[in-house]
Amino acid sequence: MVGLALLAASAMAPLPNLVLLFCDDAGYGDFGFSGHPTIETPQLDRMAREGTRLTQFYSASPACTASRYAVLTGRYPGRSGLAWVLNPDSPRGIHPRETTIAELLKARGYATGIFGKWHLGYPNEKNLFAPERLPLAHGFDEYLGIPYSNDMLPPNHPPLRLLRGPSSKGDPVAGYETITDQLDQTTLASRLTDAAVSFVERHREGPFFLYVPFPEPHIPLHPGPAFQGKSRRGTYGDVIMEVDASVGRILESFRRLQLDRRTLVVFTSDNGPWVLRGLGGGSAGLFRDGKGSTWEGGVREPSIWWQPGTVPAASTREDVASTMDVFPTFARLAGASPPQKIDGADVWPLVRSGIPLPKRPYYYTGLNNEVFAVREGRWKLHRKTYSQLGLKYFEDPMPLLFDLEVDPSETKNAAASHPDVVAHLQELLAGFDARLKADGTYWDQ
């Protein structure tokens, strides 16, 4: 009877607000809570103290478009039918038959808003159907942001627009209002944060889904006036400090409105740091390489899960998880069932109670959404590698095998001493390749 009462109470409880804060090109080592010695991130450090960190958390891709597809759909990028990075004139965007977490939550009565970088398609003369490229066609009620990366600028690309939707004015860009096509990027972070806080205030009765894909710290770096010259790490540090302040403002809005105990917030990044840019890019900490690669530095990401009173404070979890797990976890908390085949898993028992996840392999998606590597437990096998730096770290023949429990920096190839592990992981890769090929994509149908 007690169990039935608890189930009944749970069924009557209000649905939680769900929030995803998603950086662009932030490295694992770029924050105080993850060990950076000179970049000050007091708001994120507090979030980490008040929440739970997943220390073996991955982005599903080391590139912008593919990683955003995966976090919104819960699916490996190889299912998207897209290039791993879309340009403004790319002929495809996210397929209309894909179900995003915004669509799923909207069907459950959630208000849905996105404030930041979209990068899953943009209307142009090459598109098969233009309006279906932008957020309002994929479950979002409100949008303010840029449609692609902040370095896609004239003369090679159209002017970078700050778009708002929906708009009563109408506009050549699929009915969205262009706030400006002469964007001062030093104002972008504050404008997007203002919009996110306004969304929270207007939907305080809940439930709401808030997605803030920060355009920072992607290059070019444009910290706001209040942050310029503030970090000992230089301009890159200034930008991280501004991201930290934006996170702090959003979390403070939950505290001020007494929403913190019924709001789950996830903070992470889309891929590793752009190490090719030297001091203009970030740090992967102890991990090898960065953005663009399936070495750990390209896809291992910081991850904080925060909900005071529900998510344990000052805790860490070491199970392997990924951005694809956000979709099924949020779906479970909203009482929804994904209508499409997804690859992520519900990690709420792990986050809330420390219950280990079932054993499962994790597949690393690399250049052009090809599967480059696989991890199962402590072992990671590379069958192919790539580095934007142009570096070949090992002269050994492929595949390369690493024990990530003792060698997280991937410095010692253990393939010769563990042929049985190599054979097993190669079988996993072959099976996954076959399944992806058999399933195809919506663009194949």
Side-chain angles (χ1 to χ4, degrees):
M1 292 179 65
V2 171
L4 290 173
L6 289 172
L7 286 172
S10 175
M12 296 174 62
L15 295 174
N17 303 312
L18 300 168
V19 179
L20 175 61
L21 308 178
F22 203 56
C23 287
D24 193 353
D25 288 4
Y28 190 94
D30 280 339
F31 307 95
F33 69 84
S34 60
H36 200 285
T38 59
I39 298 179
E40 298 178 5
T41 55
Q43 302 301 326
L44 284 162
D45 296 352
R46 178 182 175 183
M47 185 183 181
R49 290 193 304 271
E50 294 177 349
T52 291
R53 292 177 57 204
L54 303 188
T55 60
Q56 302 203 68
F57 189 82
Y58 292 91
S59 175
S61 172
C64 293
T65 295
S67 62
R68 289 157 203 278
Y69 167 85
V71 78
L72 288 180
T73 64
R75 288 154 59 86
Y76 276 106
R79 300 189 187 281
S80 69
L82 303 176
W84 72 331
V85 177
L86 294 178
N87 290 314
D89 63 350
S90 296
R92 288 183 177 180
I94 184 171
H95 197 282
R97 287 179 59 191
E98 297 277 6
T99 300
T100 69
I101 187 60
E103 289 174 290
L104 199 67
L105 295 177
K106 186 173 181 177
R108 291 286 295 151
Y110 278 70
T112 58
I114 169 176
F115 306 97
K117 169 181 159 180
W118 173 239
H119 214 169
L120 284 169
Y122 183 70
N124 61 67
E125 66 277 5
K126 296 183 180 181
N127 290 153
L128 300 180
F129 32 87
E132 284 76 3
R133 294 292 177 263
L134 289 169
L136 301 186
H138 294 278
F140 289 100
D141 299 321
E142 300 181 31
Y143 170 49
L144 178 71
I146 57 177
Y148 39 78
S149 294
N150 69 334
D151 64 337
M152 294 181 176
L153 300 167
N156 297 321
H157 300 291
L160 183 63
R161 295 171 179 256
L162 180 64
L163 298 179
R164 175 191 289 143
S167 169
S168 58
K169 297 180 180 180
D171 185 272
V173 183
Y176 289 73
E177 178 183 356
T178 297
I179 304 300
T180 180
D181 61 4
Q182 302 293 322
L183 180 60
D184 177 1
Q185 292 197 39
T186 66
T187 69
L188 185 56
S190 61
R191 296 170 87 160
L192 296 174
T193 306
D194 288 345
V197 171
S198 172
F199 176 84
V200 171
E201 291 172 340
R202 286 181 285 109
H203 297 285
R204 67 182 70 185
E205 299 303 319
F208 60 77
F209 169 52
L210 171 63
Y211 175 40
V212 184
F214 296 106
E216 301 85 17
H218 195 286
I219 292 170
L221 303 172
H222 293 286
F227 298 91
Q228 293 170 10
K230 298 298 185 182
S231 174
R232 288 180 286 165
R233 173 57 175 80
T235 305
Y236 186 86
D238 295 343
V239 171
I240 293 292
M241 289 180 68
E242 185 163 25
V243 169
D244 179 73
S246 293
V247 171
R249 286 187 57 200
I250 293 168
L251 296 187
E252 183 55 34
S253 72
F254 302 143
R255 299 185 187 103
R256 172 170 50 85
L257 298 171
Q258 299 183 351
L259 300 176
D260 50 331
R261 290 184 171 266
R262 56 188 177 100
T263 302
L264 172 64
V265 184
V266 177
F267 172 84
T268 189
S269 181
D270 67 339
N271 50 249
W274 204 346
V275 291
L276 181 64
R277 298 304 184 96
L279 291 178
S283 168
L286 80 166
F287 302 117
R288 186 184 291 281
D289 215 279
K291 175 178 179 173
S293 83
T294 49
W295 296 101
E296 291 295 285
V299 286
R300 184 84 74 97
E301 298 300 332
S303 176
I304 307 173
W305 297 60
W306 180 91
Q307 186 179 1
T310 299
V311 173
S315 297
T316 59
R317 309 285 188 237
E318 297 181 0
D319 294 52
V320 174
S322 81
T323 53
M324 292 180 292
D325 299 330
V326 172
F327 184 111
T329 304
F330 280 13
R332 175 253 181 89
L333 294 171
S337 298
Q340 63 189 7
K341 181 173 184 177
I342 65 169
D343 299 296
D346 173 15
V347 297
W348 188 237
L350 170 72
V351 171
R352 182 173 185 179
S353 305
I355 299 172
L357 297 174
K359 183 179 178 180
R360 55 177 177 158
Y362 176 74
Y363 298 94
Y364 296 71
T365 300
L367 184 66
N368 296 325
N369 296 332
E370 180 184 348
V371 178
F372 276 30
V374 61
R375 176 177 180 179
E376 186 178 57
R378 66 194 299 158
W379 296 107
K380 176 181 179 181
L381 185 83
H382 293 261
R383 65 177 173 188
K384 187 174 182 179
T385 63
Y386 168 78
S387 170
Q388 285 194 343
L389 297 170
L391 297 175
K392 183 178 180 182
Y393 295 106
F394 294 86
E395 295 300 327
D396 304 4
M398 292 291 173
L400 306 174
L401 180 70
F402 299 96
D403 181 349
L404 294 181
E405 285 196 7
V406 299
D407 183 23
S409 301
E410 299 172 283
T411 63
K412 182 174 175 55
N413 178 18
S417 53
H418 295 278
D420 54 333
V421 176
V422 170
H424 170 65
L425 295 179
Q426 286 179 315
E427 287 181 5
L428 290 181
L429 283 166
F432 186 68
D433 287 341
R435 292 194 298 276
L436 276 183
K437 183 177 181 180
D439 291 343
T441 76
Y442 288 123
W443 288 102
D444 302 322
Q445 300 172 15

